[in-house]
Amino acid sequence: MSSYNIETKCIQSGYEPGNGEARVLPIYQSTTFKYASSEHMGKLFDLEESGYFYTRLANPTNDAVAGKICDLEGGVAAMLTSSGQAANFYAIMNIAEVGDHIVCASSLYGGTYNLFAHTLRKMGVEATFVDPHCTEEELDEAFGENTRAVFGETIANPALVVLDLEKFAKAAHRHGVPFIVDNTFATPINCRPFEWGADIVTHSTTKYMDGHATCVGGAIVDSGKFDWTANAKKFPGLTEPDETYHGIVYTEKFGAMAYIMKATAQLMRDLGSIQSPQNAFLLNIGLETLHLRMPRHCENAVKAAEYLKGHEKVAWVSCPALPGDSQYELAKKYMPDGTCGVITFGLKGGRDAAVRMMDSLKMIAIVTHVADARSCVLHPASHTHRQMNEQELREAGVQPDLIRFSVGIENSEDIIADLKQALEQV
């Protein structure tokens, strides 16, 4: 499918039915698969042959959807996970272990920040957080001999900072480590990080990819371009024998697909954060309209931002696609066709005014979720980022009065009318 345009890939990639087979991707709702001989099963367990034997490790429905996401991003291999958090966790732990270190852009989703700053630290992996707008020299200073990856979000949630992908990719490669990018907000419709030097891409498929708030999930995509053997001592899990699989060396046996094969064979085997086939099926339905929904999200977001920017009760508005925004130039470079449907803003009355305004909304709902067809709002400092202290909030770009507004694909006039009547209550 690599020769097709991305709109066609959204619909056609990942699954190609044979003669007389189901036109729509089937749900293989089975934990296990039957084989005629013990020898055949043994070869599957030894990774000597490809096939299905237990859904925790592989499932035809999941593989088809992972294949579609892989094709959309332009990678060589992909895997689905149970959530975006699991995807980011696996992406790091597939190449890091006790005593290792990662470099991260500080503008991150609150859950990801906690995962890297606290949970990974308890597991022996330290993280250094850098300002996404730091200089190349400042970025280089964050690296150490034990650094194993660089991580950032294409568009930070909820700070909406657009990451300078080329700058971070070049820094990672100068130090011989991969650059991992969470591309959840932009999606491959608006940005394909591999084209800017990224090596691995993750997604919370729960968001725009599903698009309907029906299923939690995540994905990891490997570009296949990072040379693990060139820095073999940094990545022994990929370049040295795996005794749990009879001494297999992943880079030797699987080449460009080594990273995803190891993540499946080791992490998914031992930790089991698999996406259910039912959820993968629903995700695939969402992916089929991703190319139609994203432009509408972006269009509505700009209209809502323009309205809020002109309102007397609004103190500030952040929308990377809006001319004059601090992120506009980077957005224009990396996402010329649009960014995402999420904008942020603050009211002149501060935090109390923000809460009153949100409570006065009628159509736009207050929910934990973001990035689906329905418009919704959230106050991150009180909700998704409430575990973070004041300094951590500032580093993540989360102001106390910040309202995260996920603009849906309803009629823009109705969205703005709801904002108007709610602001009148402040």
PDB file of all heavy atoms in Angstrom, residues 114-143:
ATOM      1  N   ASN A 114       4.584  11.759  34.671  1.00  0.00           N
ATOM      2  CA  ASN A 114       4.666  10.950  35.891  1.00  0.00           C
ATOM      3  C   ASN A 114       5.303   9.595  35.632  1.00  0.00           C
ATOM      4  O   ASN A 114       6.078   9.083  36.444  1.00  0.00           O
ATOM      5  CB  ASN A 114       3.270  10.760  36.488  1.00  0.00           C
ATOM      6  CG  ASN A 114       2.784  11.998  37.214  1.00  0.00           C
ATOM      7  OD1 ASN A 114       3.546  12.683  37.865  1.00  0.00           O
ATOM      8  ND2 ASN A 114       1.505  12.297  37.076  1.00  0.00           N
ATOM      9  N   LEU A 115       4.972   8.992  34.484  1.00  0.00           N
ATOM     10  CA  LEU A 115       5.548   7.708  34.120  1.00  0.00           C
ATOM     11  C   LEU A 115       7.066   7.802  34.047  1.00  0.00           C
ATOM     12  O   LEU A 115       7.784   6.967  34.604  1.00  0.00           O
ATOM     13  CB  LEU A 115       4.987   7.242  32.767  1.00  0.00           C
ATOM     14  CG  LEU A 115       5.654   6.022  32.122  1.00  0.00           C
ATOM     15  CD1 LEU A 115       5.438   4.777  32.979  1.00  0.00           C
ATOM     16  CD2 LEU A 115       5.111   5.802  30.710  1.00  0.00           C
ATOM     17  N   PHE A 116       7.551   8.840  33.355  1.00  0.00           N
ATOM     18  CA  PHE A 116       8.984   8.975  33.156  1.00  0.00           C
ATOM     19  C   PHE A 116       9.712   9.508  34.393  1.00  0.00           C
ATOM     20  O   PHE A 116      10.811   9.057  34.719  1.00  0.00           O
ATOM     21  CB  PHE A 116       9.264   9.898  31.966  1.00  0.00           C
ATOM     22  CG  PHE A 116       8.867   9.322  30.630  1.00  0.00           C
ATOM     23  CD1 PHE A 116       8.831  10.127  29.507  1.00  0.00           C
ATOM     24  CD2 PHE A 116       8.528   7.986  30.485  1.00  0.00           C
ATOM     25  CE1 PHE A 116       8.473   9.608  28.270  1.00  0.00           C
ATOM     26  CE2 PHE A 116       8.162   7.453  29.260  1.00  0.00           C
ATOM     27  CZ  PHE A 116       8.146   8.273  28.147  1.00  0.00           C
ATOM     28  N   ALA A 117       9.106  10.488  35.067  1.00  0.00           N
ATOM     29  CA  ALA A 117       9.781  11.138  36.189  1.00  0.00           C
ATOM     30  C   ALA A 117       9.766  10.301  37.458  1.00  0.00           C
ATOM     31  O   ALA A 117      10.702  10.393  38.276  1.00  0.00           O
ATOM     32  CB  ALA A 117       9.138  12.495  36.470  1.00  0.00           C
ATOM     33  N   HIS A 118       8.747   9.497  37.640  1.00  0.00           N
ATOM     34  CA  HIS A 118       8.595   8.792  38.911  1.00  0.00           C
ATOM     35  C   HIS A 118       8.599   7.263  38.773  1.00  0.00           C
ATOM     36  O   HIS A 118       9.410   6.595  39.411  1.00  0.00           O
ATOM     37  CB  HIS A 118       7.312   9.264  39.601  1.00  0.00           C
ATOM     38  CG  HIS A 118       7.279  10.739  39.824  1.00  0.00           C
ATOM     39  ND1 HIS A 118       8.122  11.388  40.704  1.00  0.00           N
ATOM     40  CD2 HIS A 118       6.511  11.716  39.264  1.00  0.00           C
ATOM     41  CE1 HIS A 118       7.886  12.685  40.688  1.00  0.00           C
ATOM     42  NE2 HIS A 118       6.912  12.913  39.819  1.00  0.00           N
ATOM     43  N   THR A 119       7.703   6.725  37.958  1.00  0.00           N
ATOM     44  CA  THR A 119       7.609   5.264  37.866  1.00  0.00           C
ATOM     45  C   THR A 119       8.868   4.654  37.264  1.00  0.00           C
ATOM     46  O   THR A 119       9.397   3.662  37.790  1.00  0.00           O
ATOM     47  CB  THR A 119       6.370   4.858  37.048  1.00  0.00           C
ATOM     48  OG1 THR A 119       5.209   5.414  37.660  1.00  0.00           O
ATOM     49  CG2 THR A 119       6.235   3.347  36.990  1.00  0.00           C
ATOM     50  N   LEU A 120       9.366   5.216  36.165  1.00  0.00           N
ATOM     51  CA  LEU A 120      10.587   4.676  35.570  1.00  0.00           C
ATOM     52  C   LEU A 120      11.776   4.818  36.509  1.00  0.00           C
ATOM     53  O   LEU A 120      12.667   3.953  36.542  1.00  0.00           O
ATOM     54  CB  LEU A 120      10.895   5.351  34.235  1.00  0.00           C
ATOM     55  CG  LEU A 120      10.013   4.995  33.036  1.00  0.00           C
ATOM     56  CD1 LEU A 120      10.640   5.522  31.748  1.00  0.00           C
ATOM     57  CD2 LEU A 120       9.786   3.498  32.919  1.00  0.00           C
ATOM     58  N   ARG A 121      11.793   5.898  37.273  1.00  0.00           N
ATOM     59  CA  ARG A 121      12.887   6.083  38.230  1.00  0.00           C
ATOM     60  C   ARG A 121      12.900   4.968  39.268  1.00  0.00           C
ATOM     61  O   ARG A 121      13.965   4.472  39.661  1.00  0.00           O
ATOM     62  CB  ARG A 121      12.749   7.440  38.923  1.00  0.00           C
ATOM     63  CG  ARG A 121      13.944   7.779  39.826  1.00  0.00           C
ATOM     64  CD  ARG A 121      13.780   9.156  40.411  1.00  0.00           C
ATOM     65  NE  ARG A 121      12.614   9.233  41.266  1.00  0.00           N
ATOM     66  CZ  ARG A 121      11.997  10.356  41.613  1.00  0.00           C
ATOM     67  NH1 ARG A 121      12.433  11.510  41.144  1.00  0.00           N
ATOM     68  NH2 ARG A 121      10.935  10.332  42.404  1.00  0.00           N
ATOM     69  N   LYS A 122      11.709   4.542  39.700  1.00  0.00           N
ATOM     70  CA  LYS A 122      11.631   3.426  40.649  1.00  0.00           C
ATOM     71  C   LYS A 122      12.130   2.125  40.024  1.00  0.00           C
ATOM     72  O   LYS A 122      12.528   1.202  40.734  1.00  0.00           O
ATOM     73  CB  LYS A 122      10.188   3.244  41.120  1.00  0.00           C
ATOM     74  CG  LYS A 122       9.665   4.399  41.964  1.00  0.00           C
ATOM     75  CD  LYS A 122       8.199   4.179  42.327  1.00  0.00           C
ATOM     76  CE  LYS A 122       7.650   5.351  43.127  1.00  0.00           C
ATOM     77  NZ  LYS A 122       6.204   5.163  43.438  1.00  0.00           N
ATOM     78  N   MET A 123      12.102   2.078  38.686  1.00  0.00           N
ATOM     79  CA  MET A 123      12.570   0.886  37.977  1.00  0.00           C
ATOM     80  C   MET A 123      14.023   1.027  37.531  1.00  0.00           C
ATOM     81  O   MET A 123      14.547   0.184  36.814  1.00  0.00           O
ATOM     82  CB  MET A 123      11.675   0.628  36.762  1.00  0.00           C
ATOM     83  CG  MET A 123      10.202   0.501  37.131  1.00  0.00           C
ATOM     84  SD  MET A 123       9.120   0.370  35.697  1.00  0.00           S
ATOM     85  CE  MET A 123       9.224  -1.374  35.373  1.00  0.00           C
ATOM     86  N   GLY A 124      14.662   2.131  37.948  1.00  0.00           N
ATOM     87  CA  GLY A 124      16.085   2.287  37.687  1.00  0.00           C
ATOM     88  C   GLY A 124      16.446   3.059  36.441  1.00  0.00           C
ATOM     89  O   GLY A 124      17.614   3.112  36.054  1.00  0.00           O
ATOM     90  N   VAL A 125      15.461   3.699  35.799  1.00  0.00           N
ATOM     91  CA  VAL A 125      15.729   4.496  34.598  1.00  0.00           C
ATOM     92  C   VAL A 125      15.445   5.963  34.923  1.00  0.00           C
ATOM     93  O   VAL A 125      14.320   6.325  35.258  1.00  0.00           O
ATOM     94  CB  VAL A 125      14.861   4.037  33.411  1.00  0.00           C
ATOM     95  CG1 VAL A 125      15.109   4.928  32.191  1.00  0.00           C
ATOM     96  CG2 VAL A 125      15.158   2.579  33.064  1.00  0.00           C
ATOM     97  N   GLU A 126      16.456   6.802  34.812  1.00  0.00           N
ATOM     98  CA  GLU A 126      16.328   8.220  35.130  1.00  0.00           C
ATOM     99  C   GLU A 126      15.962   9.027  33.883  1.00  0.00           C
ATOM    100  O   GLU A 126      16.321   8.662  32.766  1.00  0.00           O
ATOM    101  CB  GLU A 126      17.650   8.756  35.705  1.00  0.00           C
ATOM    102  CG  GLU A 126      18.025   8.166  37.055  1.00  0.00           C
ATOM    103  CD  GLU A 126      17.171   8.687  38.196  1.00  0.00           C
ATOM    104  OE1 GLU A 126      16.550   9.762  38.030  1.00  0.00           O
ATOM    105  OE2 GLU A 126      17.124   8.030  39.256  1.00  0.00           O
ATOM    106  N   ALA A 127      15.264  10.131  34.099  1.00  0.00           N
ATOM    107  CA  ALA A 127      14.880  11.013  33.000  1.00  0.00           C
ATOM    108  C   ALA A 127      15.339  12.437  33.285  1.00  0.00           C
ATOM    109  O   ALA A 127      15.208  12.923  34.409  1.00  0.00           O
ATOM    110  CB  ALA A 127      13.365  10.986  32.796  1.00  0.00           C
ATOM    111  N   THR A 128      15.878  13.097  32.263  1.00  0.00           N
ATOM    112  CA  THR A 128      16.207  14.514  32.336  1.00  0.00           C
ATOM    113  C   THR A 128      15.252  15.257  31.415  1.00  0.00           C
ATOM    114  O   THR A 128      15.132  14.909  30.234  1.00  0.00           O
ATOM    115  CB  THR A 128      17.659  14.781  31.894  1.00  0.00           C
ATOM    116  OG1 THR A 128      18.549  14.143  32.810  1.00  0.00           O
ATOM    117  CG2 THR A 128      17.953  16.275  31.860  1.00  0.00           C
ATOM    118  N   PHE A 129      14.573  16.270  31.958  1.00  0.00           N
ATOM    119  CA  PHE A 129      13.594  17.025  31.183  1.00  0.00           C
ATOM    120  C   PHE A 129      14.203  18.353  30.742  1.00  0.00           C
ATOM    121  O   PHE A 129      14.782  19.077  31.546  1.00  0.00           O
ATOM    122  CB  PHE A 129      12.328  17.251  32.011  1.00  0.00           C
ATOM    123  CG  PHE A 129      11.616  15.979  32.360  1.00  0.00           C
ATOM    124  CD1 PHE A 129      11.913  15.306  33.532  1.00  0.00           C
ATOM    125  CD2 PHE A 129      10.673  15.433  31.488  1.00  0.00           C
ATOM    126  CE1 PHE A 129      11.272  14.116  33.852  1.00  0.00           C
ATOM    127  CE2 PHE A 129      10.033  14.242  31.802  1.00  0.00           C
ATOM    128  CZ  PHE A 129      10.331  13.587  32.977  1.00  0.00           C
ATOM    129  N   VAL A 130      14.068  18.645  29.460  1.00  0.00           N
ATOM    130  CA  VAL A 130      14.641  19.866  28.903  1.00  0.00           C
ATOM    131  C   VAL A 130      13.538  20.722  28.286  1.00  0.00           C
ATOM    132  O   VAL A 130      12.532  20.204  27.790  1.00  0.00           O
ATOM    133  CB  VAL A 130      15.701  19.546  27.824  1.00  0.00           C
ATOM    134  CG1 VAL A 130      16.868  18.787  28.435  1.00  0.00           C
ATOM    135  CG2 VAL A 130      15.090  18.752  26.667  1.00  0.00           C
ATOM    136  N   ASP A 131      13.741  22.024  28.324  1.00  0.00           N
ATOM    137  CA  ASP A 131      12.825  22.945  27.675  1.00  0.00           C
ATOM    138  C   ASP A 131      12.809  22.641  26.178  1.00  0.00           C
ATOM    139  O   ASP A 131      13.867  22.577  25.551  1.00  0.00           O
ATOM    140  CB  ASP A 131      13.295  24.374  27.914  1.00  0.00           C
ATOM    141  CG  ASP A 131      12.304  25.423  27.422  1.00  0.00           C
ATOM    142  OD1 ASP A 131      11.669  25.206  26.368  1.00  0.00           O
ATOM    143  OD2 ASP A 131      12.178  26.475  28.075  1.00  0.00           O
ATOM    144  N   PRO A 132      11.626  22.422  25.587  1.00  0.00           N
ATOM    145  CA  PRO A 132      11.590  22.100  24.151  1.00  0.00           C
ATOM    146  C   PRO A 132      12.189  23.191  23.270  1.00  0.00           C
ATOM    147  O   PRO A 132      12.588  22.931  22.141  1.00  0.00           O
ATOM    148  CB  PRO A 132      10.099  21.906  23.867  1.00  0.00           C
ATOM    149  CG  PRO A 132       9.384  22.532  25.012  1.00  0.00           C
ATOM    150  CD  PRO A 132      10.286  22.415  26.185  1.00  0.00           C
ATOM    151  N   HIS A 133      12.278  24.409  23.794  1.00  0.00           N
ATOM    152  CA  HIS A 133      12.853  25.516  23.022  1.00  0.00           C
ATOM    153  C   HIS A 133      14.301  25.793  23.400  1.00  0.00           C
ATOM    154  O   HIS A 133      14.839  26.855  23.092  1.00  0.00           O
ATOM    155  CB  HIS A 133      12.004  26.771  23.213  1.00  0.00           C
ATOM    156  CG  HIS A 133      10.596  26.621  22.736  1.00  0.00           C
ATOM    157  ND1 HIS A 133      10.274  26.140  21.485  1.00  0.00           N
ATOM    158  CD2 HIS A 133       9.404  26.861  23.361  1.00  0.00           C
ATOM    159  CE1 HIS A 133       8.962  26.112  21.347  1.00  0.00           C
ATOM    160  NE2 HIS A 133       8.415  26.529  22.464  1.00  0.00           N
ATOM    161  N   CYS A 134      14.932  24.843  24.058  1.00  0.00           N
ATOM    162  CA  CYS A 134      16.331  25.016  24.458  1.00  0.00           C
ATOM    163  C   CYS A 134      17.234  25.072  23.229  1.00  0.00           C
ATOM    164  O   CYS A 134      16.858  24.670  22.129  1.00  0.00           O
ATOM    165  CB  CYS A 134      16.768  23.877  25.370  1.00  0.00           C
ATOM    166  SG  CYS A 134      16.821  22.249  24.554  1.00  0.00           S
ATOM    167  N   THR A 135      18.442  25.565  23.433  1.00  0.00           N
ATOM    168  CA  THR A 135      19.414  25.608  22.344  1.00  0.00           C
ATOM    169  C   THR A 135      19.995  24.220  22.115  1.00  0.00           C
ATOM    170  O   THR A 135      19.847  23.322  22.961  1.00  0.00           O
ATOM    171  CB  THR A 135      20.557  26.572  22.675  1.00  0.00           C
ATOM    172  OG1 THR A 135      21.282  26.059  23.817  1.00  0.00           O
ATOM    173  CG2 THR A 135      20.027  27.966  22.993  1.00  0.00           C
ATOM    174  N   GLU A 136      20.680  24.044  20.998  1.00  0.00           N
ATOM    175  CA  GLU A 136      21.330  22.762  20.727  1.00  0.00           C
ATOM    176  C   GLU A 136      22.375  22.452  21.791  1.00  0.00           C
ATOM    177  O   GLU A 136      22.536  21.290  22.190  1.00  0.00           O
ATOM    178  CB  GLU A 136      21.970  22.783  19.339  1.00  0.00           C
ATOM    179  CG  GLU A 136      20.963  22.807  18.202  1.00  0.00           C
ATOM    180  CD  GLU A 136      21.625  22.679  16.843  1.00  0.00           C
ATOM    181  OE1 GLU A 136      22.861  22.468  16.808  1.00  0.00           O
ATOM    182  OE2 GLU A 136      20.922  22.789  15.831  1.00  0.00           O
ATOM    183  N   GLU A 137      23.073  23.486  22.250  1.00  0.00           N
ATOM    184  CA  GLU A 137      24.094  23.287  23.279  1.00  0.00           C
ATOM    185  C   GLU A 137      23.462  22.830  24.590  1.00  0.00           C
ATOM    186  O   GLU A 137      23.979  21.900  25.249  1.00  0.00           O
ATOM    187  CB  GLU A 137      24.867  24.589  23.501  1.00  0.00           C
ATOM    188  CG  GLU A 137      25.750  25.023  22.342  1.00  0.00           C
ATOM    189  CD  GLU A 137      24.970  25.580  21.169  1.00  0.00           C
ATOM    190  OE1 GLU A 137      23.795  25.992  21.371  1.00  0.00           O
ATOM    191  OE2 GLU A 137      25.514  25.596  20.050  1.00  0.00           O
ATOM    192  N   GLU A 138      22.360  23.451  24.965  1.00  0.00           N
ATOM    193  CA  GLU A 138      21.665  23.048  26.191  1.00  0.00           C
ATOM    194  C   GLU A 138      21.119  21.634  26.070  1.00  0.00           C
ATOM    195  O   GLU A 138      21.138  20.870  27.040  1.00  0.00           O
ATOM    196  CB  GLU A 138      20.523  24.030  26.480  1.00  0.00           C
ATOM    197  CG  GLU A 138      21.003  25.411  26.913  1.00  0.00           C
ATOM    198  CD  GLU A 138      19.880  26.427  26.965  1.00  0.00           C
ATOM    199  OE1 GLU A 138      18.883  26.265  26.220  1.00  0.00           O
ATOM    200  OE2 GLU A 138      19.994  27.395  27.738  1.00  0.00           O
ATOM    201  N   LEU A 139      20.662  21.280  24.901  1.00  0.00           N
ATOM    202  CA  LEU A 139      20.147  19.926  24.679  1.00  0.00           C
ATOM    203  C   LEU A 139      21.267  18.902  24.798  1.00  0.00           C
ATOM    204  O   LEU A 139      21.109  17.854  25.440  1.00  0.00           O
ATOM    205  CB  LEU A 139      19.483  19.856  23.299  1.00  0.00           C
ATOM    206  CG  LEU A 139      18.776  18.563  22.900  1.00  0.00           C
ATOM    207  CD1 LEU A 139      17.778  18.124  23.970  1.00  0.00           C
ATOM    208  CD2 LEU A 139      18.057  18.748  21.565  1.00  0.00           C
ATOM    209  N   ASP A 140      22.411  19.201  24.217  1.00  0.00           N
ATOM    210  CA  ASP A 140      23.550  18.279  24.292  1.00  0.00           C
ATOM    211  C   ASP A 140      23.992  18.044  25.732  1.00  0.00           C
ATOM    212  O   ASP A 140      24.426  16.939  26.089  1.00  0.00           O
ATOM    213  CB  ASP A 140      24.722  18.815  23.473  1.00  0.00           C
ATOM    214  CG  ASP A 140      24.557  18.596  21.980  1.00  0.00           C
ATOM    215  OD1 ASP A 140      23.877  17.627  21.595  1.00  0.00           O
ATOM    216  OD2 ASP A 140      25.100  19.396  21.192  1.00  0.00           O
ATOM    217  N   GLU A 141      23.890  19.069  26.554  1.00  0.00           N
ATOM    218  CA  GLU A 141      24.312  18.946  27.952  1.00  0.00           C
ATOM    219  C   GLU A 141      23.465  17.964  28.739  1.00  0.00           C
ATOM    220  O   GLU A 141      23.895  17.480  29.801  1.00  0.00           O
ATOM    221  CB  GLU A 141      24.272  20.321  28.627  1.00  0.00           C
ATOM    222  CG  GLU A 141      25.348  21.284  28.132  1.00  0.00           C
ATOM    223  CD  GLU A 141      25.175  22.676  28.703  1.00  0.00           C
ATOM    224  OE1 GLU A 141      24.217  22.879  29.487  1.00  0.00           O
ATOM    225  OE2 GLU A 141      25.978  23.563  28.371  1.00  0.00           O
ATOM    226  N   ALA A 142      22.275  17.665  28.265  1.00  0.00           N
ATOM    227  CA  ALA A 142      21.374  16.759  28.988  1.00  0.00           C
ATOM    228  C   ALA A 142      21.771  15.294  28.820  1.00  0.00           C
ATOM    229  O   ALA A 142      21.318  14.432  29.571  1.00  0.00           O
ATOM    230  CB  ALA A 142      19.937  16.959  28.516  1.00  0.00           C
ATOM    231  N   PHE A 143      22.611  15.000  27.833  1.00  0.00           N
ATOM    232  CA  PHE A 143      22.983  13.621  27.544  1.00  0.00           C
ATOM    233  C   PHE A 143      24.102  13.140  28.459  1.00  0.00           C
ATOM    234  O   PHE A 143      24.921  13.925  28.936  1.00  0.00           O
ATOM    235  CB  PHE A 143      23.442  13.481  26.088  1.00  0.00           C
ATOM    236  CG  PHE A 143      22.331  13.565  25.086  1.00  0.00           C
ATOM    237  CD1 PHE A 143      21.823  14.796  24.698  1.00  0.00           C
ATOM    238  CD2 PHE A 143      21.793  12.416  24.520  1.00  0.00           C
ATOM    239  CE1 PHE A 143      20.792  14.892  23.769  1.00  0.00           C
ATOM    240  CE2 PHE A 143      20.767  12.491  23.597  1.00  0.00           C
ATOM    241  CZ  PHE A 143      20.262  13.732  23.219  1.00  0.00           C
TER     242      PHE A 143
END
